[in-house]
Amino acid sequence: MARNAEKAMTALARFRQAQLEEGKVRERRPFLASECSELPKAEKWRRQIISEISKKVAQIQNAGLGEFKIRDLNDEINKLLREKGHWEVRIKELGGPDYARVGPRMLDHEGKEVPGNRGYKYFGAARDLPGVRELFEKEPTPALRKTRGELMKEVDAEYYGYRDEDDGVLLPLEVLHEKQVVLDAVQKWRTDRESRLSGDKPQQDEDEEEEESIYSVQHEELEDDESREEQEGEEGGVSFISHVPVPSQREVEEALVRRKKMELLQRYASETLQAQSQEARTLLGL
C-alpha cells in the first residue's frame, strides 16, 4: 500500500490527475479512418500523421543509425503514408477536399520506388542499404546495331583512301621513294649496259636461246600431232572429203538470226511494212 501511495504522490501522477479533472486529456487517433465521422477531426488526424512522417524522414537521413534502425524507420514511414492515404479518402467521403489530387506531394517525392514494386518507397539512408542500392542501379543499355543504310552513309571517298594525300605527309614520302626508285633503275640500266659492253652479252643470248628452244619444242610437238593425225587417216583407209561447201558456225548463227527476224516480221509486222522491207532488201541486193 505504501508503494502505491508513493506513486500516487509523484509529480507526473498529480499532473495527470489535474488533466483528467480539467477535461484536457489528449485524445488518441482512431485505428481505422472509417471510425471518424467528423470532418474537422479527420483533418486533425491527417495533419498529425504528416507531422510524424516529417520527423521520421528527418531521422532516417542519418546513415549512422544502423541498418536495422534504418529499415524499421523506413517501414514506419511507409505505414504512415498508407494511413495518410486512408484518412484522405475518408476526408473526401465526408465532403472535404480531395488531397490525393490537390494536396502537396513533398513527402512522396522524398522517397524512391523500386521499379516493378509500386507503393513501397525508400527514404534517405535506406536507399544506400545493402541489397537496395542494386535495385536502383540501371542496367546499361545495349549498343544499338547500325542498319546497312546508316553504315553506307559513312562510306565516302576517305573510306576508300582517296583522301590519304590530303594530310600533307604522304606526298613528300612518295616523292622521296620515287626518286630512290628512279636512281635504282638508272643504276641497274648502267650496270647492264656496262656488262653488255664488257662481253657478258653472249651469256644473255644463250639464256634467250634457251627460252626460244622451249617454244620450238612446243611447235615441234604440234607438228608431230598433225603428222600423227595424217598417219591415222591414211591407216584408216578412207578420209572424209567434202564435195559441197560446209557453212561455218558463224554462218549458221547468222542464218538462224535471219530466220528468227523473218518469223517475227511475219507475226507482228503488217503486210505493207513487209512489202516495204522486201523492196528495200531488193534495192540493196540482199
Side-chain angles (χ1 to χ4, degrees), residues 2 15 23 63 66 87 91 107 114 118 137 150 153 157 165 168-169 187 195 199 207 236 259 267 269 279:
F15 177 73
W87 282 106
I91 290 171
L107 296 175
V114 176
R118 187 176 180 182
E137 292 179 355
E150 294 174 349
K153 289 180 181 178
E165 301 175 353
V169 178
Q187 184 66 28
S195 62
D207 296 340
R259 182 178 178 183
R267 181 179 299 180
E279 183 179 359

Side-chain angles (χ1 to χ4, degrees), residues 4 29 49 83 154 159 250:
N4 293 335
R29 184 170 68 240
I49 293 172
E83 189 174 354
E154 300 177 359
Y159 176 81
R250 182 177 179 181

